[in-house]
Amino acid sequence: MNLHENNDFGRKVFFIMPSFDFRSLVIPALYEQEFEVYIFDSYTKAKDILRNYPDSICFINTDEGMTPGEWYFYVKSFEEDPMLATIFLGIICTRMTKAQKEQFVMDTTIPAGILEARLSHEELIENIIKILEINGAKGRRRYVRAKCSDDYASFATFLINGSDVQVNINDISSAGISCTTQAVYADFFKTNMLIRNFSITLRNKKVTCIGVVLMTNVQGDKLNFVIVFTPNIAFTTRSFIREYVHHELQNQIDVKILEVKTDTTDYAQIAQDAASKERLPELEKTS
């Protein structure tokens, strides 16, 4: 099942048209495990985005949008495109018949296999995590990180000499933050210093944190420093930060989706033509 060499930087994980239950129960569990997960609400924009991430992992919900026969040719189209052929594809379904599943397994390249969505959510989560881990979805990184440098509504606030000082956040993960401020504050951010009760504001919501200064670097009049959160940071705070990270990353993909071309391929016609030639009769049967 391990199609690719593992990537030090990990792999993006995409889901095409996941069901409401899957989106509500399974995907948040993957967030909690620090996988970099994205969602496509439509298959028509997915391929043009995926061409930018040739080593990513992508699961398709074949219960929505098209018939099994149409999805079959959608999957086949990945094999015919050199920029998509390296995508690590898998299928999630509840409605395909045994014969239809066998057709996919025999005739298409789906190294992640077919996952039965009728499994309990716990089993489905466990199976997906195994596939992601085997194929190095995390790489060497342990946490998913989002840039905040362009988000002027996001900042950290520290109490220095009795006054609140706002500091720009460069990037953030559920493990910590990277910040930039004025070099005159260097004495207040010494390496290994424990900082209690500083706050982080993300999307107009403020949470209280506690952390240790991991490293500092003064460049001219700027001080760059990294703070890692201590293990006793509130679970709700860490979850909120994790949610913010994935929201920001999904937003970046959503912006790209608006810019790319729509896939206008008529997969229904391709499937109909194939069925008329009795090439794929099982795939055109309703399940």
Side-chain angles (χ1 to χ4, degrees), residues 10-237:
R11 308 183 192 282
K12 289 177 170 53
V13 182
F14 294 92
F15 290 91
I16 297 179
M17 302 178 69
S19 68
F20 176 81
D21 283 351
F22 190 95
R23 186 186 298 233
S24 302
L25 299 171
V26 177
I27 288 179
L30 301 180
Y31 292 162
E32 291 292 325
Q33 294 296 316
E34 295 290 342
F35 292 106
E36 187 178 348
V37 175
Y38 300 88
I39 295 170
F40 289 117
D41 289 324
S42 171
Y43 70 88
T44 62
K45 295 295 186 79
K47 288 200 292 186
D48 225 18
I49 297 293
L50 289 170
R51 288 188 179 96
N52 296 301
Y53 309 107
D55 290 320
S56 59
I57 300 170
C58 182
F59 293 92
I60 301 169
N61 172 24
T62 58
D63 289 343
E64 301 290 338
M66 294 192 286
T67 67
E70 291 160 28
W71 279 120
Y72 173 91
F73 286 102
Y74 182 82
V75 170
K76 292 293 286 184
S77 69
F78 278 67
E79 302 170 24
E80 299 160 2
D81 186 326
M83 297 183 71
L84 294 174
T86 59
I87 301 294
F88 192 78
L89 288 178
I91 287 173
I92 299 171
C93 68
T94 60
R95 300 174 185 168
M96 274 202 282
T97 66
K98 180 179 178 181
Q100 289 170 341
K101 292 176 185 176
E102 290 175 350
Q103 188 82 57
F104 269 89
V105 171
M106 291 171 53
D107 295 344
T108 69
T109 302
I110 45 171
I114 298 177
L115 293 171
E116 178 54 68
R118 289 192 181 93
L119 295 173
S120 70
H121 293 114
E122 291 77 14
E123 290 176 296
L124 193 53
I125 291 166
E126 181 181 353
N127 289 343
I128 291 174
I129 287 176
K130 285 180 180 178
I131 292 170
L132 298 183
E133 288 179 340
I134 287 172
N135 292 281
K138 287 187 181 180
R140 292 189 178 182
R141 60 168 172 75
R142 296 177 59 193
Y143 302 96
V144 180
R145 185 172 296 274
K147 292 183 178 179
C148 302
S149 52
D150 295 330
D151 183 0
Y152 300 107
S154 297
F155 53 87
T157 304
F158 299 88
L159 184 63
I160 298 178
N161 289 337
S163 300
D164 286 338
V165 176
Q166 288 188 2
V167 170
N168 296 326
I169 301 176
N170 299 322
D171 55 58
I172 187 169
S173 75
S174 64
I177 54 175
S178 168
C179 301
T180 298
T181 188
Q182 299 174 46
V184 294
Y185 295 120
D187 287 342
F188 299 95
F189 297 99
K190 296 288 189 180
T191 301
N192 296 324
M193 180 181 292
L194 177 67
I195 302 181
R196 301 178 183 274
N197 299 325
F198 67 94
S199 66
I200 293 177
T201 301
L202 305 171
R203 298 204 304 268
N204 298 317
K205 179 177 179 179
K206 183 166 70 174
V207 292
T208 301
C209 302
I210 178 172
V212 176
V213 179
L214 179 65
M215 59 174 291
T216 64
N217 179 31
V218 175
Q219 294 183 333
D221 62 348
K222 298 294 183 183
L223 167 68
N224 300 305
F225 63 94
V226 175
I227 291 179
V228 293
F229 303 130
T230 60
N232 59 341
I233 187 174
F235 173 80
T236 53
T237 296

